[in-house]
Amino acid sequence: MTNEFLHFEKISRHTWQNLHRKKNPPLTESELNSIKSFNDEISLQDVTDVYLPLTNLIQIYKRSKEDLAFSKGIFLQKESKRQPFIIGVSGSVAVGKSTISRLLQILLSRTFTNATVELVTTDGFLYPNQTLIESDILNRKGFPESYNMELLLDFLDRIKNGQNYKIPVYSHEIYDIVPNEKQEIKAADFVIVEGINVFQNPQNERLYMTDFFDFSIYVDAEVENIESWYLDRFKKLLALAKHDTDNYYHRFTTQPEEEVMALAHNIWETINLVNLIDYIEPTRNRAEVILHKAKNHEIDEIYLKK
């Protein structure tokens, strides 16, 4: 075990699944398929074995946060304001963060009666392509400097204080921020914030995004597995873009497949892998829980901060 994991408890899937009373997952097979990213694998068995115990753990953290807020209120002799419980989900590109976040959204809204759960992806906080081109960093898209960190921190601050907030919308089809479109995020009971950058904040060393989180999850896997999932996803994106001329990936569909896949491999090597090694993975130990995925996308190990 490396030093990085010294303050984590390593738990096998077998042990983890027994930490929770077995009950039927509160969603159907078809619901699960509808939230699954198209290159991801996840089964109802995974929901029962891994994600129900995780929801249970979040319940414990939420209770302790409420107890602390109540006690602080007594200490300060003022009533504590109800705040959203904010969950950060991080990990590499193509590791399956979106699927896990959407699944958590459903599980939380059905575990906590009448709970509202908002899901935000940090893609919406990327600078528009035009801005990246002007700053000459379009090839650094996804790297820390390509995000409007000030806006992201302002959003977290407002949401934490129970205010609603309108955020920009990112589209993978056009590979850019959608002009004149906003998504309103309400100050819900739970707000899940998902993105490759949610544990980093290099532009303002005094404030980390993690300062706003009540619970955080890092989705981990071996680099060679993530690479093959990334290339697999690229292939599937090409297939989807074949007849859609507005799609960013359409331009690649006219080229020979081996040429395009060589390009995808190059993008992985020079951009996504560099970003993972330099900026994403070093923040892994800021998580409360690390979910480790095996080659078949199944969670095989869980690391829980001691």
Side-chain angles (χ1 to χ4, degrees):
M1 183 188 276
T2 62
N3 283 348
E4 183 194 349
F5 295 118
L6 272 180
H7 61 323
F8 282 92
E9 182 95 34
K10 182 178 172 182
I11 306 162
S12 70
R13 178 177 174 131
H14 179 70
T15 307
W16 179 263
Q17 70 191 43
N18 293 322
L19 299 178
H20 175 76
R21 281 198 324 280
K22 282 280 181 282
K23 59 179 179 199
N24 291 333
L27 79 167
T28 64
E29 188 82 57
S30 65
E31 280 179 307
L32 185 59
N33 288 332
S34 74
I35 60 164
K36 198 157 71 174
S37 294
F38 56 88
N39 67 321
D40 212 354
E41 298 294 330
I42 195 165
S43 66
L44 282 177
Q45 193 60 51
D46 295 327
V47 176
T48 308
D49 291 354
V50 178
Y51 297 101
L52 284 181
L54 182 62
T55 309
N56 220 21
L57 185 64
I58 291 171
Q59 236 166 338
I60 294 168
Y61 275 76
K62 188 171 194 293
R63 252 199 317 270
S64 92
K65 183 203 172 185
E66 284 160 0
D67 290 347
L68 179 62
F70 180 72
S71 304
K72 261 161 99 174
I74 291 173
F75 172 70
L76 295 168
Q77 299 178 4
K78 62 183 202 187
E79 204 178 335
S80 60
K81 254 190 1 208
R82 234 176 101 244
Q83 290 185 326
F85 188 89
I86 302 182
I87 300 171
V89 181
S90 181
S92 169
V93 164
V95 81
K97 297 181 301 300
S98 306
T99 302
I100 289 173
S101 302
R102 289 191 288 261
L103 175 59
L104 271 180
Q105 186 179 24
I106 291 183
L107 293 180
L108 291 169
S109 63
R110 293 182 186 176
T111 304
F112 293 83
T113 341
N114 306 323
T116 49
V117 189
E118 287 277 7
L119 174 55
V120 177
T121 124
T122 59
D123 293 346
F125 295 92
L126 281 160
Y127 286 114
N129 288 354
Q130 195 47 46
T131 310
L132 296 174
I133 290 166
E134 285 159 15
S135 311
D136 197 24
I137 53 169
L138 186 64
N139 64 333
R140 302 272 298 169
K141 192 170 182 173
F143 282 79
E145 64 270 31
S146 63
Y147 289 93
N148 185 340
M149 229 40 187
E150 225 167 298
L151 187 68
L152 189 41
L153 290 168
D154 186 53
F155 157 70
L156 287 168
D157 183 50
R158 298 286 189 85
I159 274 287
K160 195 79 176 173
N161 287 307
Q163 298 164 306
N164 297 349
Y165 200 93
K166 287 194 166 80
I167 66 167
V169 175
Y170 185 83
S171 157
H172 287 277
E173 275 72 49
I174 64 165
Y175 191 64
D176 203 351
I177 297 290
V178 182
N180 309 319
E181 202 177 307
K182 290 275 195 274
Q183 175 193 5
E184 182 169 27
I185 304 297
K186 296 197 165 27
D189 299 300
F190 292 93
V191 179
I192 300 168
V193 183
E194 175 254 307
I196 57 177
N197 65 328
V198 299
F199 297 164
Q200 349 170 328
N201 185 19
Q203 282 142 306
N204 171 355
E205 291 302 343
R206 292 169 187 218
L207 193 58
Y208 284 89
M209 286 175 68
T210 40
D211 294 336
F212 292 95
F213 299 153
D214 300 297
F215 192 81
S216 48
I217 299 163
Y218 184 93
V219 189
D220 199 19
E222 308 318 323
V223 169
E224 57 273 20
N225 292 335
I226 306 174
E227 181 185 352
S228 77
W229 301 337
Y230 172 78
L231 295 173
D232 178 48
R233 181 171 87 175
F234 201 94
K235 239 184 223 168
K236 288 180 173 151
L237 285 167
L238 290 177
L240 285 179
K242 212 171 183 62
H243 305 295
D244 179 4
T245 48
D246 294 333
N247 191 305
Y248 172 79
Y249 287 89
H250 181 76
R251 68 194 72 187
F252 302 119
T253 58
T254 52
Q255 301 168 21
E257 189 180 320
E258 56 273 17
E259 246 172 65
V260 180
M261 290 320 287
L263 171 76
H265 184 73
N266 187 45
I267 294 171
W268 168 260
E269 293 261 289
T270 58
I271 298 174
N272 294 313
L273 180 61
V274 176
N275 199 5
L276 173 61
I277 290 169
D278 290 352
Y279 297 105
I280 304 168
E281 204 180 78
T283 65
R284 176 169 60 183
N285 60 354
R286 291 196 188 140
E288 213 54 58
V289 166
I290 299 169
L291 300 176
H292 183 273
K293 285 178 130 190
K295 195 175 183 170
N296 60 359
H297 288 271
E298 273 192 3
I299 305 286
D300 57 355
E301 288 167 354
I302 294 96
Y303 293 82
L304 176 60
K305 196 165 266 177
K306 289 177 183 168

mmCIF file of all heavy atoms in Angstrom, residues 140-155:
data_model
loop_
_atom_site.group_PDB
_atom_site.id
_atom_site.type_symbol
_atom_site.label_atom_id
_atom_site.label_comp_id
_atom_site.label_asym_id
_atom_site.label_seq_id
_atom_site.Cartn_x
_atom_site.Cartn_y
_atom_site.Cartn_z
ATOM 1 N N ARG A 140 -5.864 22.590 -24.337
ATOM 2 C CA ARG A 140 -5.773 22.308 -22.895
ATOM 3 C C ARG A 140 -7.175 22.219 -22.298
ATOM 4 O O ARG A 140 -7.357 22.350 -21.086
ATOM 5 C CB ARG A 140 -4.995 23.421 -22.178
ATOM 6 C CG ARG A 140 -3.598 23.653 -22.699
ATOM 7 C CD ARG A 140 -2.563 22.800 -22.037
ATOM 8 N NE ARG A 140 -2.422 23.038 -20.601
ATOM 9 C CZ ARG A 140 -1.712 22.243 -19.800
ATOM 10 N NH1 ARG A 140 -1.111 21.176 -20.288
ATOM 11 N NH2 ARG A 140 -1.625 22.501 -18.513
ATOM 12 N N LYS A 141 -8.168 22.001 -23.153
ATOM 13 C CA LYS A 141 -9.545 21.912 -22.670
ATOM 14 C C LYS A 141 -9.668 20.744 -21.685
ATOM 15 O O LYS A 141 -9.235 19.634 -21.980
ATOM 16 C CB LYS A 141 -10.483 21.687 -23.858
ATOM 17 C CG LYS A 141 -11.936 21.867 -23.522
ATOM 18 C CD LYS A 141 -12.736 21.858 -24.807
ATOM 19 C CE LYS A 141 -14.180 22.090 -24.530
ATOM 20 N NZ LYS A 141 -14.945 22.257 -25.760
ATOM 21 N N GLY A 142 -10.249 21.012 -20.517
ATOM 22 C CA GLY A 142 -10.332 19.980 -19.476
ATOM 23 C C GLY A 142 -9.236 20.144 -18.432
ATOM 24 O O GLY A 142 -9.345 19.643 -17.323
ATOM 25 N N PHE A 143 -8.150 20.863 -18.791
ATOM 26 C CA PHE A 143 -7.099 21.159 -17.822
ATOM 27 C C PHE A 143 -7.593 22.269 -16.888
ATOM 28 O O PHE A 143 -8.523 23.005 -17.239
ATOM 29 C CB PHE A 143 -5.814 21.597 -18.549
ATOM 30 C CG PHE A 143 -5.033 20.441 -19.131
ATOM 31 C CD1 PHE A 143 -5.427 19.842 -20.325
ATOM 32 C CD2 PHE A 143 -3.913 19.948 -18.477
ATOM 33 C CE1 PHE A 143 -4.715 18.775 -20.862
ATOM 34 C CE2 PHE A 143 -3.199 18.881 -19.006
ATOM 35 C CZ PHE A 143 -3.601 18.286 -20.201
ATOM 36 N N PRO A 144 -6.982 22.420 -15.715
ATOM 37 C CA PRO A 144 -7.496 23.376 -14.726
ATOM 38 C C PRO A 144 -7.761 24.777 -15.284
ATOM 39 O O PRO A 144 -8.773 25.398 -14.976
ATOM 40 C CB PRO A 144 -6.397 23.403 -13.660
ATOM 41 C CG PRO A 144 -5.775 22.054 -13.739
ATOM 42 C CD PRO A 144 -5.825 21.661 -15.191
ATOM 43 N N GLU A 145 -6.844 25.261 -16.144
ATOM 44 C CA GLU A 145 -6.981 26.649 -16.604
ATOM 45 C C GLU A 145 -8.139 26.858 -17.589
ATOM 46 O O GLU A 145 -8.475 27.984 -17.941
ATOM 47 C CB GLU A 145 -5.662 27.153 -17.223
ATOM 48 C CG GLU A 145 -5.224 26.422 -18.482
ATOM 49 C CD GLU A 145 -4.329 25.213 -18.230
ATOM 50 O OE1 GLU A 145 -4.464 24.557 -17.170
ATOM 51 O OE2 GLU A 145 -3.498 24.919 -19.102
ATOM 52 N N SER A 146 -8.757 25.763 -18.045
ATOM 53 C CA SER A 146 -9.845 25.903 -19.029
ATOM 54 C C SER A 146 -11.219 26.084 -18.366
ATOM 55 O O SER A 146 -12.232 26.216 -19.043
ATOM 56 C CB SER A 146 -9.875 24.685 -19.955
ATOM 57 O OG SER A 146 -10.168 23.511 -19.213
ATOM 58 N N TYR A 147 -11.233 26.077 -17.034
ATOM 59 C CA TYR A 147 -12.498 26.247 -16.304
ATOM 60 C C TYR A 147 -12.612 27.642 -15.718
ATOM 61 O O TYR A 147 -11.619 28.200 -15.245
ATOM 62 C CB TYR A 147 -12.592 25.243 -15.140
ATOM 63 C CG TYR A 147 -12.802 23.822 -15.598
ATOM 64 C CD1 TYR A 147 -11.722 22.976 -15.801
ATOM 65 C CD2 TYR A 147 -14.090 23.327 -15.827
ATOM 66 C CE1 TYR A 147 -11.900 21.674 -16.227
ATOM 67 C CE2 TYR A 147 -14.276 22.017 -16.257
ATOM 68 C CZ TYR A 147 -13.185 21.194 -16.465
ATOM 69 O OH TYR A 147 -13.372 19.912 -16.894
ATOM 70 N N ASN A 148 -13.821 28.161 -15.710
ATOM 71 C CA ASN A 148 -14.098 29.431 -15.053
ATOM 72 C C ASN A 148 -14.304 29.139 -13.567
ATOM 73 O O ASN A 148 -15.420 28.959 -13.097
ATOM 74 C CB ASN A 148 -15.334 30.079 -15.665
ATOM 75 C CG ASN A 148 -15.585 31.462 -15.105
ATOM 76 O OD1 ASN A 148 -15.092 31.810 -14.033
ATOM 77 N ND2 ASN A 148 -16.364 32.245 -15.823
ATOM 78 N N MET A 149 -13.192 29.065 -12.848
ATOM 79 C CA MET A 149 -13.198 28.641 -11.452
ATOM 80 C C MET A 149 -13.953 29.631 -10.561
ATOM 81 O O MET A 149 -14.597 29.242 -9.597
ATOM 82 C CB MET A 149 -11.754 28.500 -10.984
ATOM 83 C CG MET A 149 -11.432 27.241 -10.286
ATOM 84 S SD MET A 149 -12.182 25.752 -10.943
ATOM 85 C CE MET A 149 -11.707 24.596 -9.720
ATOM 86 N N GLU A 150 -13.861 30.911 -10.910
ATOM 87 C CA GLU A 150 -14.530 31.933 -10.111
ATOM 88 C C GLU A 150 -16.045 31.711 -10.121
ATOM 89 O O GLU A 150 -16.710 31.783 -9.093
ATOM 90 C CB GLU A 150 -14.215 33.306 -10.700
ATOM 91 C CG GLU A 150 -13.843 34.335 -9.662
ATOM 92 C CD GLU A 150 -13.241 35.566 -10.317
ATOM 93 O OE1 GLU A 150 -12.180 35.431 -10.953
ATOM 94 O OE2 GLU A 150 -13.860 36.631 -10.202
ATOM 95 N N LEU A 151 -16.557 31.417 -11.321
ATOM 96 C CA LEU A 151 -17.993 31.165 -11.478
ATOM 97 C C LEU A 151 -18.396 29.897 -10.723
ATOM 98 O O LEU A 151 -19.427 29.849 -10.054
ATOM 99 C CB LEU A 151 -18.329 31.022 -12.965
ATOM 100 C CG LEU A 151 -19.821 30.927 -13.315
ATOM 101 C CD1 LEU A 151 -20.523 32.250 -13.041
ATOM 102 C CD2 LEU A 151 -20.024 30.534 -14.778
ATOM 103 N N LEU A 152 -17.540 28.885 -10.804
ATOM 104 C CA LEU A 152 -17.819 27.608 -10.140
ATOM 105 C C LEU A 152 -17.864 27.772 -8.621
ATOM 106 O O LEU A 152 -18.760 27.254 -7.945
ATOM 107 C CB LEU A 152 -16.739 26.601 -10.558
ATOM 108 C CG LEU A 152 -16.879 25.126 -10.187
ATOM 109 C CD1 LEU A 152 -18.304 24.620 -10.362
ATOM 110 C CD2 LEU A 152 -15.936 24.269 -11.012
ATOM 111 N N LEU A 153 -16.916 28.527 -8.075
ATOM 112 C CA LEU A 153 -16.896 28.749 -6.628
ATOM 113 C C LEU A 153 -18.071 29.623 -6.191
ATOM 114 O O LEU A 153 -18.657 29.400 -5.130
ATOM 115 C CB LEU A 153 -15.567 29.390 -6.202
ATOM 116 C CG LEU A 153 -14.347 28.458 -6.295
ATOM 117 C CD1 LEU A 153 -13.058 29.237 -6.153
ATOM 118 C CD2 LEU A 153 -14.413 27.339 -5.257
ATOM 119 N N ASP A 154 -18.446 30.590 -7.041
ATOM 120 C CA ASP A 154 -19.595 31.444 -6.741
ATOM 121 C C ASP A 154 -20.871 30.603 -6.693
ATOM 122 O O ASP A 154 -21.700 30.741 -5.795
ATOM 123 C CB ASP A 154 -19.716 32.549 -7.796
ATOM 124 C CG ASP A 154 -20.810 33.555 -7.438
ATOM 125 O OD1 ASP A 154 -20.768 34.083 -6.306
ATOM 126 O OD2 ASP A 154 -21.709 33.793 -8.266
ATOM 127 N N PHE A 155 -20.976 29.675 -7.659
ATOM 128 C CA PHE A 155 -22.130 28.765 -7.702
ATOM 129 C C PHE A 155 -22.215 27.934 -6.417
ATOM 130 O O PHE A 155 -23.265 27.847 -5.776
ATOM 131 C CB PHE A 155 -22.021 27.847 -8.932
ATOM 132 C CG PHE A 155 -22.783 26.563 -8.799
ATOM 133 C CD1 PHE A 155 -24.176 26.544 -8.816
ATOM 134 C CD2 PHE A 155 -22.110 25.349 -8.636
ATOM 135 C CE1 PHE A 155 -24.878 25.354 -8.669
ATOM 136 C CE2 PHE A 155 -22.803 24.158 -8.487
ATOM 137 C CZ PHE A 155 -24.193 24.161 -8.501
#
